[in-house]
Amino acid sequence: MASSYLVVLYCVTAGQNGNVLGSDEEEIVVLSWLVYDTAKNKVVAVQSCTVKPRTADINENVLSEQCRNETGLVEEVVKSGEYLENVIEQFHQFAKTKLGSDVGRTFCLITDGQLHLRQCLLPETCSKNIELPEYFYVFFDLRKEFRKFYQGEEMQSIAEMLNYLSIEPDGSADYGIRQIQDMAKVITRLSADGHKFDEPEVINIRLEHGICSRSDEVDSNTVVRARGLPWQSSDQDIAKFFRGLNIAKGGVALCLSPQGRRNGEALVRFVNQEHRDMALKRHKHHIGNRYIEVYKASGEDFVNVAGGNSNEAQSFLSRGGQVIVRMREIGRAHV
């Protein structure tokens, strides 16, 4: 069943934006949204909120030169904004009162590409322990919807979509409002031309356990090696580091030293190359004060670490078992 509303969501960070949004871990400074009524094919609400970064009380300057030049934002306005958790709560209350009591069923989010949710909002809220409502984990990617309907080349920006459709860009003074209004123009044309928004993407928030056999074939374009992990990191901690990206079932393999101890590395397998490529952009992102290196790895690397031939393990997991512990070289004194 199609949603009654599409809610356009757009993030601006204090650092890099555009097609490298989220790659530098900079905090969100603007969160804009627009409500599009799919039955009436028109915009019914627009809002843009300035977000105060948590570093604003520590650092004199929080905005990069690129951000200031691109968006027109100034330090004073950003420092007088609301914290991210308050802006998200403001949006949630708006959704409850304006979009129907069945929140998340009457509307679906839509973003300009993957990065606004997967690489920006979800990682930041996760690191700040901000709980997001479930509807943030289902969305439409406007660039993919555009390509699916018009069967053309992949668009790299909102401006490219407008140019393809010969549509004049919005003239609003506010940067965030301009972006979401331009997205609404693209949505309007797509709808008028007959496109149906009926297959949203889902962001996985739970790591599914599974067993990899040495006979499995794993696509090398889906695997990364994470290095520099705290030695006590679990598979769940690693999944949290990659929050927003869909990890394959049983897709985290912790590397062990010859002595059977964790060595601060892990192989991570994603559902496809698109998610692997986004994972690579988290190179030198942080877990606590430690920066984590993220590199390409091969399917063979993953199988070598994760592979096993235990039918009993497969059977255990199929019955709902959650954890398998590997034990090595236990001496008699420990038995």
Side-chain angles (χ1 to χ4, degrees):
M1 180 179 174
S3 300
S4 301
Y5 302 97
L6 291 173
V7 177
V8 177
L9 195 72
Y10 194 91
C11 302
V12 176
T13 75
Q16 295 180 308
N17 291 284
N19 289 332
V20 288
L21 179 71
S23 62
D24 54 5
E25 286 187 292
E26 290 292 338
E27 294 178 89
I28 293 170
V29 291
V30 173
L31 189 64
S32 305
W33 65 83
L34 173 152
V35 181
Y36 188 87
D37 187 322
T38 57
K40 298 178 181 178
N41 289 324
K42 68 175 187 177
V43 174
V44 295
V46 178
Q47 180 72 44
S48 186
C49 294
T50 306
V51 182
K52 181 180 180 179
R54 290 189 178 176
T55 57
D57 294 329
I58 305 170
N59 300 328
E60 182 179 351
N61 297 314
V62 296
L63 300 175
S64 69
E65 183 178 359
Q66 178 187 352
C67 177
R68 291 196 302 271
N69 293 340
E70 201 171 301
T71 66
L73 286 169
V74 294
E75 300 285 343
E76 294 75 16
V77 172
V78 170
K79 290 183 177 182
S80 64
E82 295 278 351
Y83 286 119
L84 182 59
E85 51 266 45
N86 297 334
V87 173
I88 289 170
E89 178 60 24
Q90 180 181 335
F91 172 79
H92 185 60
Q93 293 304 320
F94 169 85
K96 283 192 350 184
T97 57
K98 301 296 185 181
L99 302 181
S101 58
D102 194 8
V103 175
R105 304 285 183 180
T106 56
F107 70 91
C108 188
L109 300 179
I110 183 166
T111 59
D112 173 34
Q114 299 281 305
L115 306 184
H116 292 265
L117 285 173
R118 293 192 185 275
Q119 291 284 69
C120 189
L121 185 62
L122 267 67
E124 183 171 338
T125 53
C126 182
S127 69
K128 293 178 175 178
N129 295 315
I130 301 170
E131 188 172 345
L132 289 175
E134 289 185 3
Y135 52 77
F136 279 98
Y137 298 93
V138 181
F139 75 106
F140 290 104
D141 177 339
L142 183 58
R143 297 186 190 185
K144 288 186 178 180
E145 298 297 315
F146 190 99
R147 186 179 186 185
K148 181 167 64 175
F149 185 74
Y150 293 115
Q151 300 292 311
E153 295 182 2
E154 184 176 354
M155 297 288 136
Q156 298 298 319
S157 67
I158 301 169
E160 284 189 14
M161 288 185 274
L162 291 174
N163 184 60
Y164 182 93
L165 298 172
S166 300
I167 296 175
E168 286 293 318
D170 184 74
S172 301
D174 183 278
Y175 178 81
I177 298 253
R178 284 203 305 275
Q179 307 311 308
I180 57 178
Q181 290 283 19
D182 282 342
M183 288 176 68
K185 291 184 177 188
V186 175
I187 292 168
T188 299
R189 175 63 67 83
L190 275 166
S191 299
D193 288 348
H195 181 62
K196 302 298 181 186
F197 293 89
D198 53 13
E199 294 182 7
E201 293 191 33
V202 176
I203 300 172
N204 296 340
I205 56 175
R206 292 182 179 84
L207 177 65
E208 287 191 78
H209 294 278
I211 291 291
C212 175
S213 168
R214 289 192 179 277
S215 62
D216 288 353
E217 291 188 11
V218 174
D219 183 356
S220 291
N221 292 319
T222 64
V223 181
V224 301
R225 180 183 297 271
R227 182 178 295 160
L229 299 163
W231 66 267
Q232 71 273 28
S233 295
S234 67
D235 56 354
Q236 297 294 337
D237 294 325
I238 294 163
K240 186 176 179 181
F241 175 76
F242 288 111
R243 178 64 60 88
L245 308 181
N246 291 357
I247 296 173
K249 185 176 181 179
V252 177
L254 298 167
C255 300
L256 303 178
S257 69
Q259 291 74 37
R261 299 187 182 94
R262 295 175 185 175
N263 65 4
E265 295 189 13
L267 278 298
V268 186
R269 177 187 181 189
F270 295 91
V271 294
N272 57 37
Q273 182 175 345
E274 179 184 36
H275 288 244
R276 190 285 307 266
D277 290 347
M278 286 188 279
L280 291 170
K281 292 182 179 179
R282 299 200 188 181
H283 179 58
K284 294 197 174 180
H285 283 205
H286 291 77
I287 294 180
N289 294 323
R290 298 176 66 100
Y291 71 82
I292 310 302
E293 298 174 331
V294 183
Y295 301 102
K296 291 181 180 179
S298 70
E300 183 179 0
D301 291 337
F302 183 84
V303 171
N304 286 340
V305 174
N309 294 309
S310 172
N311 292 328
E312 290 84 357
Q314 293 277 11
S315 176
F316 172 73
L317 287 173
S318 70
R319 295 195 302 271
Q322 294 297 306
V323 178
I324 293 174
V325 180
R326 183 189 304 176
M327 303 179 72
R328 293 183 179 180
E329 299 180 7
I330 300 176
R332 290 177 180 272
H334 297 90
V335 177

